[in-house]
Amino acid sequence: MQKLSAVFLLSLWSHSEIKNSDASTVTLTPSRRWVIWIIPPLLVAAAIIVYHFGHQGARITLIAGTAEGINAGKTPIKNRSIVIGEVETTTLAENLRHVEINVRLHPCMEKLLHRNSVFWLVKPHRG
């Protein structure tokens, strides 16, 4: 029974040295075969990261006097009632005179941007 278990262990572990001919003094170290199993998940993770950052739309910064009614992650950017992007962050400018609104457009929506593009906040009317 001991010989069978030692043979089984040797097949799972690689031996580094055998001090004596006695089976009880065999020094075993873990096999490094696990390293090869890490490579495929790392490659998949790298591919997902590259795909994610490669397929993001343009990031633009809008300047406004106030961020009233604008919530990061909730306020959509629309063109003709179709969502083309979303507000990512709102920050107060360094000079404390205006608000900077960072917007991420959906991929392929950059063609809607021009040098003199104008954005405005549409608020609901109560009446």
Side-chain angles (χ1 to χ4, degrees):
M1 181 89 148
Q2 287 181 335
K3 289 183 182 180
L4 179 61
S5 63
V7 170
F8 180 70
L9 283 176
L10 285 176
S11 67
L12 295 177
W13 298 60
S14 63
H15 66 284
S16 60
E17 62 181 86
I18 299 176
K19 294 180 181 177
N20 293 330
S21 62
D22 186 14
S24 63
T25 59
V26 174
T27 305
L28 299 174
T29 59
S31 175
R32 301 203 188 267
R33 292 182 194 170
W34 61 270
V35 174
I36 199 154
W37 293 105
I38 289 178
I39 294 171
L42 289 176
L43 290 174
V44 169
I48 290 171
I49 290 170
V50 167
Y51 178 82
H52 173 72
F53 288 110
H55 287 82
Q56 286 187 344
R59 184 172 187 210
I60 59 173
T61 301
L62 306 175
I63 307 296
T66 180
E68 180 183 358
I70 299 173
N71 296 320
K74 294 183 180 178
T75 304
I77 305 297
K78 292 184 176 183
N79 185 350
R80 298 183 183 161
S81 299
I82 295 180
V83 176
I84 63 165
E86 187 175 86
V87 174
E88 286 188 335
T89 61
T90 55
T91 57
L92 194 57
E94 289 181 17
N95 63 8
L96 307 176
R97 294 181 186 226
H98 59 268
V99 176
E100 295 177 353
I101 304 164
N102 293 314
V103 174
R104 175 75 65 184
L105 295 180
H106 292 170
C108 301
M109 293 298 159
E110 296 93 3
K111 57 188 165 195
L112 294 173
L113 293 176
H114 303 285
R115 187 164 201 54
N116 55 357
S117 294
V118 178
F119 292 82
W120 59 89
L121 179 63
V122 178
K123 296 181 183 178
H125 291 49
R126 294 183 185 164

